[in-house]
Amino acid sequence: MKHFRSIADVPSLHELLDIAFELKKKPFKYRKLGKRKTVCLIFFNPSLRTRLSSQRAATNLGMETIVFNVDKESWKIELEDKVVMNGAAAEHIKEAAAVIGQYAEIIGVRSFATLQDRQADYAEKVLESFVKYAGRPIISLESATRHPLQSLADLITIEEFKTKARPKVVLSWAPHPHALPQAVPNSFVEWMKVAPVELVVTHPEGYELAPEFIENVKVEYDQNKAFEGADFIYAKNWSSYSEYGKVLSQDSSWMITAEKMRLTNNAKFMHCLPVRRNQIVTDEVLDSPSSIVIPQAANRVAAAQAVYYQILRSM
Ligand code: CP
């Protein structure tokens, strides 16, 4: 694997899952693979799980880690070409990415959507600039439109907890007080489309995901109907794609409750975290045995380690 920005960068999903499960069982089996290699994890936005799991995964493979909170600790970086840099930005991405590439063999980048300019966000300017100028393998730690490490961990979790060959997986929008990007739902849909699952997406009207992600996936606007017979409920908030970045609804009737979970086939509850209690999901559901959010988060290590493994193997 050369880069890891989306499922399109994965040569074989089957092989990636196999190595993830192997590394879960034997996390230190390939601890010499990353010897004398450094991964630099660059954060333009906050993180708990991605930062810590990516560090832990690197350590398991014998790699050194540099964590760089660009938003707080660096010069402000200019992304546009051919600009007169007489504003706040002191450094251009061309030099910044190229220099970081001198210090690390692999680079991870987290850069969220601005939710101001749909075209710019969906062009993935930050991530693609690192690909263009760093000269190193680039791993998305969540970009403007996708969160592939999360999606891989989600798939590992579904494989572990499923009780039938083709479970029904429901991605449900849930209310949130702020505008959130579409990266997690976009990515989840992208990965589930190629996974052995029956995928249904449910959300209020106006929250349709970008056509290139949703394609012909079943969308059910009646949340209760969508939940019927579900084996997994994956809750997530996202802002509108069509009215880009807007919060069109905060309808609390979309919150995941125990009553709604009773409509399912004893479904497991999933969320990428962080999650707002009693906004997205009730305490009762999140604290119940049906919630698998902690093993889901734990699988972030296996996901990151499997991606590092495949990149290190092809270097
Ligand atoms: N799920 C996830 O990416 O968590 P963080 O934002 O804390 O990294």
Side-chain angles (χ1 to χ4, degrees), residues 178-237:
H178 307 302
L180 299 186
Q182 295 112 30
V184 169
N186 280 347
S187 206
F188 186 73
V189 164
E190 199 165 54
W191 285 67
M192 289 303 123
K193 280 191 297 196
V194 295
V197 304
E198 176 198 348
L199 176 64
V200 176
V201 179
T202 184
H203 55 72
E205 287 191 32
Y207 281 97
E208 291 76 12
L209 294 169
E212 65 267 32
F213 286 95
I214 203 74
E215 292 185 318
N216 56 0
V217 170
K218 182 175 166 58
V219 176
E220 172 56 69
Y221 292 103
D222 180 337
Q223 191 191 34
N224 287 346
K225 207 168 158 194
F227 275 37
E228 283 169 14
D231 300 294
F232 293 90
I233 299 296
Y234 194 106
K236 185 72 185 85
N237 173 271

Side-chain angles (χ1 to χ4, degrees), residues 46-51 110 142 147 150 272-274 300:
S47 170
L48 187 155
R49 280 143 291 273
T50 305
R51 173 177 171 154
R110 164 163 285 199
E142 185 172 344
H147 195 356
Q150 181 65 54
C272 61
L273 304 181
R300 293 294 305 274

Side-chain angles (χ1 to χ4, degrees), residues 109-124:
V109 181
R110 164 163 285 199
S111 175
F112 290 169
T114 62
L115 297 181
Q116 304 296 315
D117 179 340
R118 187 170 88 178
Q119 201 181 349
D121 284 345
Y122 275 68
E124 294 283 13

Side-chain angles (χ1 to χ4, degrees), residues 21-309:
F21 283 115
E22 185 187 359
L23 289 164
K24 245 199 111 162
K25 275 195 215 122
K26 295 179 182 171
F28 307 113
K29 183 172 174 188
Y30 302 104
R31 66 186 181 281
K32 290 186 181 151
L33 186 64
K35 204 175 167 192
R36 298 202 187 95
K37 298 271 193 305
T38 296
V39 58
C40 184
L41 304 171
I42 300 170
F43 289 88
F44 286 84
N45 306 98
S47 170
L48 187 155
R49 280 143 291 273
T50 305
R51 173 177 171 154
L52 298 181
S53 60
S54 301
Q55 278 191 270
R56 177 62 202 253
T59 303
N60 288 354
L61 288 169
M63 279 195 287
E64 301 290 331
T65 316
I66 301 170
V67 176
F68 187 23
N69 298 309
V70 174
D71 56 332
K72 298 183 190 75
E73 297 163 0
S74 181
W75 306 107
K76 188 167 167 44
I77 295 173
E78 176 63 57
L79 296 171
E80 298 306 320
D81 280 336
K82 301 188 192 317
V83 288
V84 178
M85 287 175 56
N86 58 359
E91 175 145 38
H92 200 278
I93 189 73
K94 284 187 184 181
E95 288 76 51
V99 169
I100 293 166
Q102 305 300 305
Y103 306 148
E105 282 75 22
I106 300 174
I107 299 171
V109 181
R110 164 163 285 199
S111 175
F112 290 169
T114 62
L115 297 181
Q116 304 296 315
D117 179 340
R118 187 170 88 178
Q119 201 181 349
D121 284 345
Y122 275 68
E124 294 283 13
K125 186 91 181 173
V126 177
L127 191 68
E128 290 305 323
S129 293
F130 273 94
V131 170
K132 194 167 173 188
Y133 300 122
R136 298 290 189 184
I138 302 298
I139 296 175
S140 166
L141 305 175
E142 185 172 344
S143 68
T145 66
R146 292 177 176 90
H147 195 356
L149 282 175
Q150 181 65 54
S151 307
L152 174 55
D154 297 338
L155 181 53
I156 293 167
T157 310
I158 288 169
E159 287 293 309
E160 282 178 335
F161 282 88
K162 73 182 186 185
T163 55
K164 59 171 80 144
R166 195 164 180 269
K168 179 177 176 182
V169 175
V170 176
L171 169 65
S172 178
W173 181 92
H176 192 283
H178 307 302
L180 299 186
Q182 295 112 30
V184 169
N186 280 347
S187 206
F188 186 73
V189 164
E190 199 165 54
W191 285 67
M192 289 303 123
K193 280 191 297 196
V194 295
V197 304
E198 176 198 348
L199 176 64
V200 176
V201 179
T202 184
H203 55 72
E205 287 191 32
Y207 281 97
E208 291 76 12
L209 294 169
E212 65 267 32
F213 286 95
I214 203 74
E215 292 185 318
N216 56 0
V217 170
K218 182 175 166 58
V219 176
E220 172 56 69
Y221 292 103
D222 180 337
Q223 191 191 34
N224 287 346
K225 207 168 158 194
F227 275 37
E228 283 169 14
D231 300 294
F232 293 90
I233 299 296
Y234 194 106
K236 185 72 185 85
N237 173 271
W238 62 90
S239 59
S240 175
Y241 173 77
S242 54
E243 293 187 55
Y244 192 62
K246 290 214 171 101
V247 175
L248 305 179
S249 167
Q250 293 191 347
D251 184 354
S252 61
S253 74
W254 279 78
M255 180 167 59
I256 314 300
T257 62
E259 192 184 354
K260 284 186 192 161
M261 292 298 284
R262 279 194 281 276
L263 298 170
T264 69
N265 179 32
N266 201 19
K268 297 296 184 196
F269 174 80
M270 300 178 72
H271 189 283
C272 61
L273 304 181
V275 67
R276 288 179 181 248
R277 284 173 173 260
N278 305 307
Q279 176 85 30
I280 295 271
V281 56
T282 61
D283 286 336
E284 195 182 0
V285 173
L286 197 55
D287 295 332
S288 75
S290 65
S291 172
I292 55 170
V293 296
I294 303 303
Q296 182 186 357
N299 281 333
R300 293 294 305 274
V301 175
Q305 209 173 329
V307 169
Y308 288 145
Y309 173 91

